[in-house]
Amino acid sequence: MYVLVLGSAAGGGFPQWNCNCTMCAGVRDGTLKARPRTQSSIAVSCNRTDWLLINASPDIRTQLNAHPLMQPGRAVRDTGVRAVMLADSQIDHTTGLLILRESRTPLELYCTDSVHEDLSTGFPVLNMLSHYCGVQRHVLACDGPATTVAGVEGLQVTAVALSSKAPPYSPHRNAPAAGDNIGLFIEDSTNGSRLFYAPGLGQFEPHLIPFCQQADCLLVDGTCWTDDEMARRGVGTRLASQMGHLAQSGPGGMIEQLARFPQARRILIHINNTNPILDENSQERAVLTEQGIEVAFDGMLLNL
């Protein structure tokens, strides 16, 4: 299984366009040893030609153009993207669908019923696409049987419900549903490799443990280092936990939780612009390195 990290930052990217926190200012002026990052999205393939795009960020055009693997060039109009799968209906994971409107055929789109409702009502991206390429929607049922992916031979995907809250524009914002936010357990039937991808992982619920134990790679939420990171950086007051993210440090944090799965390669993705782990010389990054935890970057290619 090949996993290409197209974007590794949380919403807003790094640096964020209107942010002058220590991290964003430092990467702009070159005083910080850190890589700029676009908003989180990955692509998965068994043959490096046919790819499942997971989450379509607002940066998708830049991301696809940056990686030759995503453009096989077999015809005048071509793409390596054979299907799109969504983990949630958040703006930073779905706005890129509009950029894909030039597709010559309807987009093969995999999403839960909750996400489909949001993208047909509160944020009607799918209605807008009906005037362009349109979509061929496939249902992702939480905790149901594994789903095969049209055009991407060898992949099987199991959708796993994560505790979360729908976006502010969702008609069921105050009535959380099982499909608002999902993790994806992805298996390559050609070699047996397994990936668990969960960029919006807020807690390790009991039903997630068997998937994490089976995975060869855990590519999971790396949003914030501390729960109160936004306040520490002077850019907000909301806690990471209030936004549905598990902080890396502290008792019960991501570092402690990932230590339970030593069999897996452990990588953080969806990293907020305020997170000190983006600074490659920081003490926080050194802690991750000591624990054997990696930090995803744009262009990272995993061969599982």
Side-chain angles (χ1 to χ4, degrees), residues 1 6 22 39 67 71 75 90 114 131 138 149 171 174 180 195 202 222-223 227 260 263-264 283 288:
M1 184 192 310
L6 297 172
T22 304
Q39 294 167 95
H67 302 293
Q71 180 49 262
Q90 299 287 347
S114 296
H131 299 283
H138 304 266
V149 181
N174 297 314
D180 290 339
L195 167 73
T223 307
D227 197 32
R260 302 163 64 185
Q263 87 291 344
Q283 292 182 347
L288 292 182

Side-chain angles (χ1 to χ4, degrees), residues 7-255:
S8 52
F14 177 63
Q16 183 171 302
W17 67 278
N18 66 340
C19 185
N20 291 299
C21 71
T22 304
M23 301 300 299
C24 288
V27 75
R28 281 197 193 98
D29 63 24
T31 59
L32 200 73
K33 187 180 180 183
R35 308 182 191 208
R37 286 165 162 85
T38 58
Q39 294 167 95
S40 71
S41 177
I42 67 171
V44 183
S45 174
C46 294
N47 61 8
R48 291 169 59 106
T49 301
D50 302 304
W51 295 85
L52 169 64
L53 174 66
I54 303 180
N55 294 332
S57 89
D59 301 315
I60 191 63
R61 177 185 174 277
T62 299
Q63 293 168 342
L64 295 178
N65 284 336
H67 302 293
L69 285 173
M70 303 307 298
Q71 180 49 262
R74 297 162 294 193
V76 176
R77 291 288 180 96
D78 194 20
T79 178
V81 177
R82 300 300 302 274
V84 183
M85 187 172 287
L86 302 176
D88 54 50
S89 59
Q90 299 287 347
I91 285 176
D92 51 317
H93 285 159
T94 58
T95 305
L97 291 172
L98 297 175
I99 308 301
L100 303 178
R101 66 188 181 276
E102 290 103 351
S103 176
R104 298 182 64 188
T105 58
L107 297 175
E108 301 288 344
L109 181 66
Y110 294 76
C111 64
T112 65
D113 287 339
S114 296
V115 169
H116 185 264
E117 179 184 6
D118 290 350
L119 299 184
S120 302
T121 54
F123 184 36
V125 172
L126 302 185
N127 300 349
M128 297 164 70
L129 283 175
S130 69
H131 299 283
Y132 297 92
C133 62
V135 302
Q136 177 62 48
R137 192 254 172 147
H138 304 266
V139 177
L140 268 181
C142 288
D143 306 315
T147 299
T148 56
V149 181
V152 187
E153 298 300 325
L155 286 187
Q156 295 184 320
V157 184
T158 302
V160 187
L162 305 178
S163 291
S164 187
K165 196 172 185 180
Y169 44 79
S170 170
H172 57 271
R173 167 74 170 179
N174 297 314
D180 290 339
N181 181 22
I182 59 174
L184 299 169
F185 184 69
I186 306 171
E187 302 176 80
D188 181 344
S189 61
T190 65
N191 69 2
S193 58
R194 300 179 178 95
L195 167 73
F196 184 63
Y197 176 57
L201 181 58
Q203 55 183 299
F204 279 80
E205 301 165 90
H207 71 279
L208 302 181
I209 304 306
F211 294 103
C212 294
Q213 291 172 332
Q214 296 176 64
D216 300 299
C217 180
L218 298 172
L219 189 56
V220 295
D221 194 327
T223 307
C224 291
W225 179 256
T226 61
D227 197 32
D228 62 349
E229 183 172 295
M230 303 295 283
R232 290 187 183 209
R233 294 292 186 185
V235 298
T237 58
R238 295 184 69 193
L239 301 176
S241 55
Q242 291 175 327
M243 298 184 288
H245 302 290
L246 178 63
Q248 280 108 59
S249 62
M254 186 65 75
I255 294 173

